[in-house]
C-alpha cells in the first residue's frame, strides 16, 4: 500500500499554466522586494517597482481576500465600535424592538453560543452583554428564508463587518450550528456534525437556510450593544491564569477545585479505541487498554460554585508534562491524549469533553498521557500536571502553558515555529485595537525602532527607503497631530475606494509602504495629490479601509520632495 | 541550493512537491495553487539563508504546511465545496482510490503520511517539519496508516 500511495501521488504534478502564473507572481513580488545599500544616513533602499502581484483567478483571489480579512477584522471591527461610541444611536435596538418576531433559530437566551463580531474578542463578552445580544437576536426581524443565491458575490462573506454566531444543539450526536451574517445582509445558517469515521466536521446541507436582512439595522444594533461592553465591565477570562498543582495538594481556580491524588507510570495491553480521538478505552478497573506507556494521574475535581455548571476539558490540551530535574524533556511531551475516568458522564463534543456538575459535586477523573517507552524506567523529580479547563466552551485553547521556573510561556515557544504571517495578524490586531487610528499604529512601530518606511512616487519608479532622520520627522509629524478616531466613513472625493495604484496620472501623489520586523505591512498609505487626504489600503481587500484628513501637510514635503 | 531571486528555478525544482502536499492537504486545486504561490512569494521576498538544499526544501514544506493550516482554519468557519480533484492528472482509477482515501483522513494524519510515504522523510524530520514531538509524529503515522488502510480496504477495494 505504501508504494501504491507514492506511485499514485507522484503522478500529481503542477499544471504548466499554474506554474507560469506562480512564477510571474513571484517575479512581480521579487521586484517589489528591497535591496539595501549603505549610505551615510544608515542605509537607503533601491527597488525596481511598486507594481502589484498580478491578480490570480477569481477563486484564488477570493481565498486571498479571505485570508487578508482575517488580518483586518479586529481592526475594522474595533473601528466600528469606536465610531459608534462617538455617534451613538439606537436605531438597531429600536428597530428590533418595535415588533416581536419569531426567531427562526430558536431562543438565543437558551443557547450557550459564541458571538464573534470580528473585533478580536472572539465573543469574550460579559454575561450582561450576552443577555442583551440574546434579546436583540430573538427580536430581530430575520424575515422568511430565501433561496441560496448562486450568483452572489461571495467576497461579501469575508469582508468586514461580518458576524459569526455558533452554538451546539443536542448531544446525541451534537450538531454544530453556524450563523454567518455577511455585510450585504445575506445570512447563512449551516449545521454540521462530527464524522466519527474521519473526525472531521460533516456539513448537513439539507438543513442549510438563507435569509436576507437589513444589515445596517443589524450592524448598528449589535455595535450599540457591544460598545456598551467597554463601559460596563472589563471581562476577565481564564486564559492567562496559571496554576501549579502538587501531588496531594488542592488547587482552587475560578470555583473549580482540583486535587491530584496519585501519578503513576504504566504500560497497558492491546485494544486502543481511536474514536473519538484522544478518548481511549479502559477495562472495568478504569485502566487504559492500549499498548503504550502512560503517565496516569488520578484526580478529583469539585465544582465549588453554588450552581450547576459544566466543565469543559479540551482533549488536545489536557497535558501532563514530566520533568527530569527542573527541565522539561520535550521527548516525553507527546501529543496530548486524555481519558476521563467518568466516561459515562462525560460527553465528547467536538474538541471538548463536557462534564456536567451539580453544585458542590466532586468527581473522580483519570487523565492519561502517552510517553516514550524508555521513560517507564526513569524516575522523576517533579511531575507537573497542566489541565486546561474552563467553565465556558471555547476559551480553553487560549490558556497559557508555562514550564516551571521559566517566564516564557510554552505558547510563545510554540508560536516561534508558526508562520510569521500568523504573527503579523496578532501584531496588527494588537496595534490597531490599541490605537486610535492607523497612524498611531505606525507611530508605535517607529518608536520601537521596528518600522521601516519607504516612499513610492509613481508606478514603476524606485522606492526610496527613509533614513533615520526622515523617520524621526515622520514620527514627529504623527505625534504632533491629532488624526482622530478610526474613520471608515470618510471618502476621498472623486477617488473610487478600490483605486490603489500609484501612477503618473492617478489621484495619488505618493505612497508609504510600511514594514515592521521585516514584514511588509499588508497594504500602503497613499497621499492624494492635493495632500488633503491619506488613505490606508490593506492587502487583499483592495479597498481603502481608513481615510485621514491631513493637517499641516506641508510638513510632509520631505517625503516626496528630495531636491 | 538556489540563489536569491531564482523564482523560476525554485518553482521548477520544488513546485510539484509543494503542489502535491498542498493539494493533499487542502483538497482543492485553487486553494493549493494559492498556498503554493504564497509559499514561493514568501521564499523570494524573505530570501532566508539556507545551510543546504535539504534545509531549503524543509523550509518550503514548513511554510506551505503553515499556509495550508491557515486556510483550513479559515475553512472551519466557512465551508467550501469540494471538487473532483484528481481529474486532469495522469492518475488511474486504481491509483486515485488510495489518494482519495488519504485525502479523507483528518488533516494532521494527511501531512504526516504524505511526508513519510510520498516525500520519504523520516519520523524525526517530519516532527521538525510540522513542529510536533517525535513521539507524536510516530503515533500519528501509526494511527494514520491504520486509518488509511481501513478506509482504503473498506471503500476503495
Amino acid at each position: 500500500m505504501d508504494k501504491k500511495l507514492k506511485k499514485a501521488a507522484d503522478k500529481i504534478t503542477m499544471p504548466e499554466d499554474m506554474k507560469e502564473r506562480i512564477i510571474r507572481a513571484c517575479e512581480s513580488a521579487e521586484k517589489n522586494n528591497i535591496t539595501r545599500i549603505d549610505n551615510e544616513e544608515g542605509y537607503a533602499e533601491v527597488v525596481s517597482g511598486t507594481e502589484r502581484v498580478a491578480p490570480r483567478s477569481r477563486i484564488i483571489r477570493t481565498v486571498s481576500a479571505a485570508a487578508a480579512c482575517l488580518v483586518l477584522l479586529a481592526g475594522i471591527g474595533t473601528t466600528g465600535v469606536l465610531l459608534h461610541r462617538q455617534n451613538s444611536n439606537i436605531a438597531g435596538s429600536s428597530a428590533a424592538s418595535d415588533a416581536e418576531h419569531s426567531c427562526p433559530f430558536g431562543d438565543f437566551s437558551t443557547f450557550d453560543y459564541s458571538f464573534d463580531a470580528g473585533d478580536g474578542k472572539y465573543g469574550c463578552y460579559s454575561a450582561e452583554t450576552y443577555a442583551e445580544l440574546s434579546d436583540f437576536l430573538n427580536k430581530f426581524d430575520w424575515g422568511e428564508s430565501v433561496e441560496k443565491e448562486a450568483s452572489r458575490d461571495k467576497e461579501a462573506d469575508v469582508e468586514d463587518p461580518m458576524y459569526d454566531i455558533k452554538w451546539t444543539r443536542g448531544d446525541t450526536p451534537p450538531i454544530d450550528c453556524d450563523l454567518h451574517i455577511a455585510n450585504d445582509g445575506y445570512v447563512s445558517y449551516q449545521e454540521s456534525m462530527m464524522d466519527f469515521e474521519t473526525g472531521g466536521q460533516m456539513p448537513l446541507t439539507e438543513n442549510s437556510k438563507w435569509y436576507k436582512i437589513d444589515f445596517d439595522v443589524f450592524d448598528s444594533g449589535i455595535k450599540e450593544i457591544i460598545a456598551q461592553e467597554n463601559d460596563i465591565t472589563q471581562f476577565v477570562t481564564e486564559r492567562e491564569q496559571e496554576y501549579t498543582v502538587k501531588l496531594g495538594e488542592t488547587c482552587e481556580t475560578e470555583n473549580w477545585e482540583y486535587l491530584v491524588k496519585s501519578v503513576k507510570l504504566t504500560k497497558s495491553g492491546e485494544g486502543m479505541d481511536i474514536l473519538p480521538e484522544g478518548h481511549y478505552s479502559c477495562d472495568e478497573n478504569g485502566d487504559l487498554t492500549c499498548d503504550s506507556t502512560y503517565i496516569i494521574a488520578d484526580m478529583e475535581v469539585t465544582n465549588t460554585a453554588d450552581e450547576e455548571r459544566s466543565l469543559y476539558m479540551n482533549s488536545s490540551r489536557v497535558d501532563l508534562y514530566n520533568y527530569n530535574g527542573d527541565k522539561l524533556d520535550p521527548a516525553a511531551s507527546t501529543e496530548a491524549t486524555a481519558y476521563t475516568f467518568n466516561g459515562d458522564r462525560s460527553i465528547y463534543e467536538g474538541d471538548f469533553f463536557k462534564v456536567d456538575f451539580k453544585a458542590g459535586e466532586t468527581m473522580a477523573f483519570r487523565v492519561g498521557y502517552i510517553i516514550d517507552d524508555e521513560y517507564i524506567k526513569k524516575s522523576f523529580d517533579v511531575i507537573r500536571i497542566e489541565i486546561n479547563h474552563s467553565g465556558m466552551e471555547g476559551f480553553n485553547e487560549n490558556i497559557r502553558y508555562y514550564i516551571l521556573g521559566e517566564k516564557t510561556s510554552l505558547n510563545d515557544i510554540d508560536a516561534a515555529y508558526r508562520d510569521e504571517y500568523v504573527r503579523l495578524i496578532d501584531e496588527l490586531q494588537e496595534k490597531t485595537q490599541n490605537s486610535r487610528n492607523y497612524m498611531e499604529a505606525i507611530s508605535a512601530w517607529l518608536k520601537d525602532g521596528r518600522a521601516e518606511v519607504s516612499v513610492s512616487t509613481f508606478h514603476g519608479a524606485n522606492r526610496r527607503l527613509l533614513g533615520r532622520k526622515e523617520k524621526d520627522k515622520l514620527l514627529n509629524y504623527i505625534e504632533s497631530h491629532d488624526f482622530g478616531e478610526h474613520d471608515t466613513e470618510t471618502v476621498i472625493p472623486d477617488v473610487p475606494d478600490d483605486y490603489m495604484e500609484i501612477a503618473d496620472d492617478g489621484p495619488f501623489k505618493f505612497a508609504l509602504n510600511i514594514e515592521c520586523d521585516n514584514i511588509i505591512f499588508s497594504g500602503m498609505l497613499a497621499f492624494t495629490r492635493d495632500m488633503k487626504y491619506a488613505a490606508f489600503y490593506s492587502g487583499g481587500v483592495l479597498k481603502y479601509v481608513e481615510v485621514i484628513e491631513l493637517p499641516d501637510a506641508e510638513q510632509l514635503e520631505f517625503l516626496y520632495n528630495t531636491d | 541550493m538556489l540563489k536569491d531571486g531564482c523564482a523560476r528555478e525554485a518553482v521548477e525544482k520544488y513546485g510539484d512537491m509543494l503542489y502535491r502536499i498542498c493539494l493533499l492537504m487542502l483538497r482543492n486545486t485553487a486553494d493549493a495553487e494559492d498556498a503554493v504561490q504564497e509559499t514561493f512569494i514568501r521564499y523570494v521576498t524573505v530570501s532566508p539563508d539556507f545551510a543546504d538544499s535539504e534545509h531549503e526544501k524543509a523550509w518550503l514544506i514548513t511554510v506551505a504546511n503553515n499556509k495550508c493550516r491557515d486556510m483550513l482554519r479559515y475553512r472551519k468557519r466557512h465551508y467550501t465545496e469540494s471538487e473532483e480533484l484528481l481529474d486532469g492528472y495522469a492518475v488511474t482509477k486504481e491509483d486515485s482510490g488510495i489518494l482519495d482515501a488519504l485525502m479523507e483522513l483528518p488533516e494532521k494524519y494527511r501531512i504526516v503520511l504524505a511526508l513519510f510515504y510520498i516525500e520519504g522523510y523520516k519520523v524525526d524530520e517530519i516532527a521538525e517539519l510540522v513542529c510536533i514531538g517525535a513521539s507524536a509524529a510516530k503515533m500519528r503515522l501509526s494511527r494514520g496508516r491504520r486509518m488509511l488502510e481501513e478506509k482504503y480496504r473498506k471503500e476503495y477495494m
Side-chain angles (χ1 to χ4, degrees):
Chain A
M1 194 181 73
D2 310 340
K3 285 180 184 167
K4 185 192 280 274
L5 183 59
K6 177 160 177 55
K7 186 179 147 213
D10 282 346
K11 289 179 183 170
I12 298 176
T13 55
M14 187 189 290
E16 282 305 314
D17 57 337
M18 188 186 291
K19 209 173 266 185
E20 287 304 318
R21 279 200 300 274
I22 289 175
I23 289 168
R24 279 200 304 275
C26 288
E27 288 172 347
S28 181
E30 205 175 3
K31 280 182 189 172
N32 290 335
N33 209 12
I34 297 165
T35 307
R36 299 183 193 292
I37 300 173
D38 288 339
N39 67 6
E40 69 277 4
E41 218 176 11
Y43 48 81
E45 175 199 358
V46 177
V47 293
S48 56
T50 57
E51 61 196 293
R52 286 193 295 116
V53 172
R56 287 159 281 162
S57 71
R58 179 168 180 76
I59 296 172
I60 298 171
R61 277 194 288 121
T62 304
V63 173
S64 301
C69 277
L70 291 177
V71 178
L72 292 169
L73 279 178
I76 299 172
T78 308
T79 303
V81 171
L82 292 170
L83 279 172
H84 205 80
R85 292 180 68 185
Q86 292 292 313
N87 307 296
S88 180
N89 70 68
I90 51 170
S93 315
S94 56
S97 56
D98 282 341
E100 293 292 328
H101 302 284
S102 175
C103 179
F105 314 108
D107 181 358
F108 277 92
S109 65
T110 64
F111 299 163
D112 185 10
Y113 65 96
S114 67
F115 188 98
D116 187 352
D119 55 1
K121 293 188 175 178
Y122 305 106
C124 292
Y125 305 122
S126 65
E128 290 87 346
T129 296
Y130 264 101
E132 286 194 44
L133 285 171
S134 296
D135 189 47
F136 178 84
L137 295 170
N138 283 342
K139 291 176 179 171
F140 188 77
D141 183 5
W142 299 93
E144 296 296 321
S145 63
V146 296
E147 291 294 312
K148 185 179 182 182
E149 291 178 30
S151 61
R152 178 174 161 267
D153 182 1
K154 288 185 179 173
E155 292 205 20
D157 278 337
V158 294
E159 285 182 3
D160 187 80
M162 62 180 182
Y163 299 96
D164 248 338
I165 308 172
K166 292 177 189 293
W167 68 97
T168 302
R169 180 163 60 77
D171 55 11
T172 52
I175 292 172
D176 289 339
C177 306
D178 186 351
L179 190 62
H180 179 79
I181 297 102
N183 66 6
D184 60 351
Y186 200 67
V187 177
S188 64
Y189 171 74
Q190 308 274 343
E191 291 184 354
S192 62
M193 62 181 288
M194 189 174 77
D195 182 339
F196 280 88
E197 194 154 351
T198 66
Q201 282 299 110
M202 180 174 63
L204 304 172
T205 49
E206 67 274 17
N207 295 341
S208 298
K209 285 182 180 173
W210 292 268
Y211 299 85
K212 194 81 173 68
I213 62 166
D214 184 335
F215 183 78
D216 291 339
V217 171
F218 185 88
D219 188 45
S220 61
I222 293 296
K223 280 178 176 164
E224 180 73 20
I225 293 169
I226 293 175
Q228 293 169 17
E229 171 81 11
N230 298 324
D231 300 330
I232 295 169
T233 177
Q234 186 66 39
F235 189 66
V236 179
T237 73
E238 300 177 45
R239 62 177 59 188
E240 290 190 1
Q241 295 184 20
E242 177 193 3
Y243 308 98
T244 301
V245 183
K246 289 183 182 172
L247 208 59
E249 284 184 2
T250 299
C251 168
E252 186 161 4
T253 73
E254 301 285 330
N255 292 328
W256 293 104
E257 193 176 271
Y258 292 90
L259 172 63
V260 179
K261 302 177 78 173
S262 70
V263 178
K264 65 179 177 181
L265 293 168
T266 185
K267 193 170 175 67
S268 303
E270 295 289 338
M272 182 166 67
D273 175 10
I274 62 166
L275 294 173
E277 184 173 359
H279 194 164
Y280 289 83
S281 63
C282 64
D283 59 22
E284 65 275 13
N285 299 317
D287 290 327
L288 289 155
T289 54
C290 172
D291 187 19
S292 293
T293 302
Y294 286 88
I295 293 177
I296 299 292
D298 283 310
M299 53 195 294
E300 286 178 355
V301 181
T302 304
N303 172 21
T304 56
D306 55 2
E307 58 183 4
E308 289 183 12
R309 57 192 189 136
S310 299
L311 177 73
Y312 293 90
M313 295 208 295
N314 183 330
S315 63
S316 66
R317 296 285 183 162
V318 180
D319 294 342
L320 298 181
Y321 288 107
N322 86 316
Y323 297 80
N324 203 342
D326 58 357
K327 187 181 175 190
L328 173 74
D329 186 340
S333 300
T334 60
E335 185 177 12
T337 50
Y339 170 75
T340 58
F341 186 69
N342 295 64
D344 59 336
R345 295 200 53 186
S346 63
I347 299 166
Y348 188 78
E349 288 190 348
D351 290 336
F352 299 93
F353 287 97
K354 179 188 175 197
V355 186
D356 297 325
F357 280 74
K358 293 174 185 166
E361 185 175 15
T362 298
M363 276 197 256
F365 280 86
R366 169 169 284 188
V367 289
Y369 193 86
I370 295 180
I371 58 170
D372 284 347
D373 286 353
E374 59 183 285
Y375 285 96
I376 200 166
K377 297 171 189 165
K378 292 187 178 179
S379 61
F380 298 90
D381 300 322
V382 180
I383 295 177
R384 184 180 179 206
I385 303 166
E386 295 189 351
I387 300 159
N388 267 355
H389 71 282
S390 174
M392 290 181 72
E393 182 180 9
F395 291 168
N396 301 45
E397 64 183 7
N398 294 315
I399 295 178
R400 302 178 77 76
Y401 298 79
Y402 290 85
I403 298 173
L404 277 180
E406 293 284 341
K407 288 185 178 174
T408 308
S409 161
L410 279 175
N411 306 50
D412 297 334
I413 295 170
D414 186 43
Y417 292 100
R418 286 187 303 174
D419 191 345
E420 287 180 348
Y421 176 72
V422 175
R423 192 165 65 78
L424 180 58
I425 290 174
D426 295 341
E427 177 84 26
L428 286 173
Q429 283 181 344
E430 185 190 336
K431 287 294 181 204
T432 51
Q433 275 174 21
N434 296 333
S435 304
R436 293 169 67 236
N437 50 59
Y438 281 94
M439 283 296 219
E440 281 196 359
I442 292 170
S443 161
W445 284 331
L446 283 166
K447 259 192 220 167
D448 294 345
R450 296 165 60 200
E452 297 297 350
V453 182
S454 56
V455 180
S456 305
T457 46
F458 57 87
H459 181 74
N462 288 349
R463 272 199 278 158
R464 182 173 65 83
L465 187 68
L466 297 190
R468 184 172 43 79
K469 288 179 184 171
E470 288 178 304
K471 282 196 291 185
D472 286 346
K473 276 188 191 174
L474 179 61
L475 176 60
N476 186 50
Y477 172 79
I478 295 174
E479 290 198 321
S480 59
H481 292 91
D482 185 359
F483 300 98
E485 300 287 340
H486 281 292
D487 182 0
T488 57
E489 304 296 327
T490 301
V491 294
I492 304 174
D494 305 323
V495 180
D497 63 356
D498 59 352
Y499 185 97
M500 69 179 295
E501 192 175 32
I502 306 300
D504 286 334
D505 54 353
F508 294 117
K509 190 182 189 76
F510 67 98
L512 295 183
N513 298 276
I514 317 292
E515 273 185 61
C516 182
D517 293 347
N518 297 321
I519 299 170
I520 297 171
F521 182 88
S522 185
M524 63 183 182
L525 176 60
F527 294 77
T528 53
R529 291 204 172 273
D530 58 9
M531 290 299 284
K532 283 186 178 173
Y533 300 97
F536 276 96
Y537 286 87
S538 276
V541 294
L542 307 180
K543 289 184 176 181
Y544 54 69
V545 293
E546 184 172 308
V547 170
I548 284 170
E549 290 189 53
L550 293 168
D552 303 327
E554 68 282 0
Q555 293 177 18
L556 293 173
E557 191 179 344
F558 69 95
L559 290 173
Y560 55 87
N561 188 357
T562 54
D563 294 338
Chain B
M1 184 185 154
L2 296 170
K3 292 174 186 173
D4 291 348
C6 296
R8 180 170 292 278
E9 197 179 337
V11 174
E12 292 291 350
K13 186 171 180 183
Y14 298 115
D16 288 344
M17 181 265 301
L18 289 183
Y19 181 62
R20 206 154 40 224
I21 290 173
C22 292
L23 192 65
L24 291 171
M25 288 289 287
L26 297 167
R27 298 186 287 186
N28 179 294
T29 50
D31 286 358
E33 179 179 351
D34 198 51
V36 173
Q37 177 166 311
E38 296 278 328
T39 302
F40 279 120
I41 285 178
R42 180 142 197 80
Y43 172 87
V44 297
T45 53
V46 175
S47 300
D49 293 327
F50 297 113
D52 51 36
S53 59
E54 276 308 309
H55 181 203
E56 183 179 50
K57 185 179 172 189
W59 185 90
L60 285 165
I61 289 174
T62 304
V63 172
N65 183 42
N66 285 336
K67 293 284 175 204
C68 291
R69 287 171 60 195
D70 284 344
M71 289 183 174
L72 289 168
R73 268 199 292 272
Y74 169 77
R75 272 204 212 154
K76 275 187 179 177
R77 290 162 49 114
H78 305 276
Y79 176 70
T80 51
E81 297 289 338
S82 61
E83 57 178 302
E84 290 300 322
L85 266 184
L86 301 175
D87 290 356
Y89 300 100
V91 180
T92 63
K93 195 172 180 184
E94 187 194 359
D95 288 335
S96 70
I98 188 78
L99 291 175
D100 285 336
L102 175 64
M103 284 190 281
E104 286 177 28
L105 297 185
E107 165 217 338
K108 65 182 184 184
Y109 300 116
R110 286 205 299 276
I111 183 65
V112 171
L113 288 170
L115 291 175
F116 188 83
Y117 290 116
I118 300 171
E119 303 304 332
Y121 278 100
K122 294 173 185 166
V123 171
D124 290 351
E125 294 169 331
I126 293 170
E128 281 192 24
L129 285 172
V130 297
C131 303
I132 56 175
S135 300
K138 199 159 52 179
M139 186 190 301
R140 287 184 192 185
L141 194 57
S142 158
R143 208 185 294 171
R145 192 178 194 286
R146 188 168 54 185
M147 291 165 77
L148 179 64
E149 273 185 335
E150 281 172 9
K151 183 167 278 297
Y152 180 60
R153 291 189 199 294
K154 195 171 157 189
E155 297 176 25
Y156 296 98
M157 284 189 77

